[in-house]
Amino acid sequence: MLSVYEGFFSGGARIVHTDVVLGLAEGGQSHQVLSIHGEVHREATRQRMEDDACYRSLTAGGVGVTSLGRTAGLVDGTVAANVFSGPELAETARSMAGADVILSLKEQPLALLNQAGLPRRPVVVGLHRSDPENQGPALDELKAAIADGTVVACVCCAESTRAAYEAAGVPGEVLHVIPNGVDLLRFRPDPAARLAFRASLGIPAAAPVIVFAARYATMKNVPLLLRAARAWLAREPEGQVLMCGAGMNAGNPALWADIEIAFGADRHLAERIRLLGVRRDMETVYAGSDVVALTSASGEAAPLCLIEGMMCGAVPVTTDVGDSAEIVRGHGFVTPQDPEAVARAWTAAVAGRAGFAPALAASRERFSRTRMIAAYAALLDGVHNESARVPTLPEPL
């Protein structure tokens, strides 16, 4: 198997896909990864491939990773670079030649995989959003690849993804839903880690803590999160709000501007917002928190932060976007995009945390990484077996 990434940068889709690749490799499949970009600049953060947690996990797990070495200032589907040099295409052809099936992390890498003259291999695309119309030229690349038989299947991480892409003109028969899952050994309630994490930040053991884990992007609706934080912190004198992810750091001037606007005359309340940036120990951050918050306005499908947070014992509070409402049903709260409503839900979640614990514990198998990887393996085995039965044309000279 060959997985093609647009690049290595912070985000749930890359985390899920990387976990799938590692799980399939653990199960005996041979996997390699090709990244179009070797460095990405986005969310006010320079992200080198070699520094990325997913890259490090892959290489530590014995999965080879190579890159075409491009540097991108914008990698979000709004700009699709579809012009590749001879050496880049040659490197791609060499990588593809040794694979039976190609996995594309989202539809953006199809700008490369659709290039003429590359080896003909069945491609399976992982889809991780619920707004295909906002993926720029990538949606057209996906439709073209399906029409010419290059893409034979798409894995949707949520029912909302399947419905959105089918409504956008992608044939329903190629869309398969495999919900996201997480490593339950890593993401679990951990009282000792909770106390140690809080102590490291000087947060009292009994203080209510909200965690917001997201990259700094418009779809995440950071202004709503901050307005809710202002209302909640005004009522919770010991409360703390943690912001994690790419761009959630002191070096992002746009975030500081958002904070100034949201807090206004109550700027002193923002002293209890902690900007933690990209963390590699999110299981500890979630275990140390009471609530995992999501305020997204669009684009989400099956937000990984909600699942990871829940499995660590944090109560989820989310806006109704993608499959979020279904994910948190019986485990937390769904709110309108109103800061007061969000703040009230945070208070109720903190107060009801102990009451939600049994339901969270009972749902763990539903969100298992093992279940997710087994479903991917079955689909990929089917794709491989089907392609082996179809006579292939000679490779292009």
Side-chain angles (χ1 to χ4, degrees), residues 89-260:
L89 292 174
E91 176 64 25
T92 303
R94 283 191 293 269
S95 297
M96 294 177 67
D100 297 307
V101 177
I102 309 295
L103 296 179
S104 175
L105 172 49
K106 301 179 71 174
E107 56 268 58
Q108 282 75 19
L110 294 173
L112 171 63
L113 297 177
N114 283 349
Q115 296 292 310
L118 293 175
R120 185 80 171 180
R121 298 290 185 272
V123 175
V124 176
V125 181
L127 302 176
H128 293 270
R129 291 179 63 125
S130 59
D131 57 347
E133 68 281 359
N134 290 328
Q135 297 300 287
L139 178 61
D140 292 333
E141 295 278 7
L142 175 62
K143 291 180 180 179
I146 292 171
D148 75 4
T150 299
V151 169
V152 298
C154 298
V155 177
C156 303
C157 71
E159 288 292 344
S160 56
T161 302
R162 182 202 59 76
Y165 277 82
E166 188 169 14
V170 174
E173 59 268 21
V174 304
L175 297 170
H176 306 263
V177 178
I178 301 179
N180 288 342
V182 301
D183 183 350
L184 298 181
L185 295 178
R186 178 185 175 195
F187 293 97
R188 59 185 177 81
D190 189 333
R194 177 182 177 87
L195 290 174
F197 172 73
R198 286 173 170 240
S200 71
L201 294 180
I203 299 175
V209 175
I210 312 297
V211 61
F212 178 68
R215 59 191 176 87
Y216 184 81
T218 301
M219 64 176 277
K220 301 296 183 179
N221 205 349
V222 174
L224 172 59
L225 181 282
L226 293 170
R227 292 196 300 273
R230 176 183 180 176
W232 184 76
L233 290 169
R235 294 196 292 264
E236 297 285 348
E238 300 298 320
Q240 301 278 334
V241 176
L242 314 179
M243 300 181 71
C244 306
M248 302 299 181
N249 53 60
N252 183 357
L255 176 57
W256 281 117
D258 288 342
I259 292 173
E260 292 286 349

Side-chain angles (χ1 to χ4, degrees), residues 279-304:
R279 301 276 300 207
R280 294 179 181 170
D281 61 343
M282 286 306 301
E283 68 277 16
T284 302
V285 179
Y286 291 130
S289 303
D290 299 298
V291 174
V292 54
L294 187 73
T295 53
S296 293
S298 65
E300 301 285 4
L304 199 60

Side-chain angles (χ1 to χ4, degrees), residues 290-293 306 309-311 313-319 324-335 342 344-346 348-350 352-353 355-360 363 366-367:
D290 299 298
V291 174
V292 54
L306 297 179
M310 285 195 307
M311 295 301 97
V315 178
V317 177
T318 180
T319 48
S324 297
E326 181 59 30
I327 289 171
V328 309
R329 190 185 308 277
H331 303 91
F333 297 88
V334 179
T335 73
V342 173
R344 288 194 299 270
W346 290 355
V350 171
R353 184 167 175 265
F356 280 112
L360 293 173
S363 69
R366 172 188 168 193
F367 298 107

